Amino acid sequence: MRRALEADPIDQTHLRSFLSLAKADQIPLETITLSYLADQRMKRSLTELQMSSGSLEILERALTLARTVLELPFELNLWQAQNIWYEILRTSNYGLAALGKDDRPRWEKSFNKLGRSLSIDCAAIGAPIREW
């Protein structure tokens, strides 16, 4: 499971397979270690997104990762990733200037999905929620 979490991009198939096997065989998970790895992996993904100047590919990878780690059967502490998400939101007008007219709505939609996946109430903080 550790290798599946650390893979870039995340190996969803293997991770789900390992989770199913552990559950079926009643193998206890090292939740503290796995939770830490998932938290750090999510933080690295958001840092990469922050540095990407609006890359749709990196955004989609971060969204896939967020959705995958939410499937983990233990508590996560994603505050660092949440803070980076908020910082991207705050500075996105500058960082997304290079996006084309057609790409900006797609980016905003996926970015808001990422925020919701990170348990962020996008509407409460004034994030533009657009579902084009």
Side-chain angles (χ1 to χ4, degrees), residues 2-89:
R2 177 181 269 175
R3 279 182 265 156
L5 273 173
E6 293 175 335
D8 191 17
I10 193 164
D11 192 336
Q12 292 175 304
T13 305
H14 280 113
L15 185 61
R16 287 181 182 133
S17 175
F18 294 143
L19 285 171
S20 294
L21 287 171
K23 185 176 181 178
D25 293 340
Q26 298 179 346
I27 298 171
L29 300 174
E30 293 180 35
T31 57
I32 294 172
T33 302
L34 293 173
S35 177
Y36 176 77
L37 288 172
D39 297 341
Q40 292 303 301
R41 181 70 179 83
M42 198 70 240
K43 176 186 170 189
R44 281 193 314 273
S45 182
L46 268 287
T47 300
E48 182 181 10
L49 178 61
Q50 187 176 33
M51 305 305 278
S52 77
S53 299
S55 168
L56 286 166
E57 178 185 340
I58 293 173
L59 175 58
E60 290 303 323
R61 282 199 320 244
L63 181 55
T64 298
L65 176 63
R67 288 175 172 161
T68 302
V69 299
L70 286 177
E71 296 176 21
L72 296 173
F74 43 81
E75 190 173 328
L76 298 172
N77 186 0
L78 300 173
W79 68 271
Q80 291 173 314
Q82 292 166 335
N83 285 348
I84 296 168
W85 183 93
Y86 182 73
E87 184 63 25
I88 294 169
L89 173 68

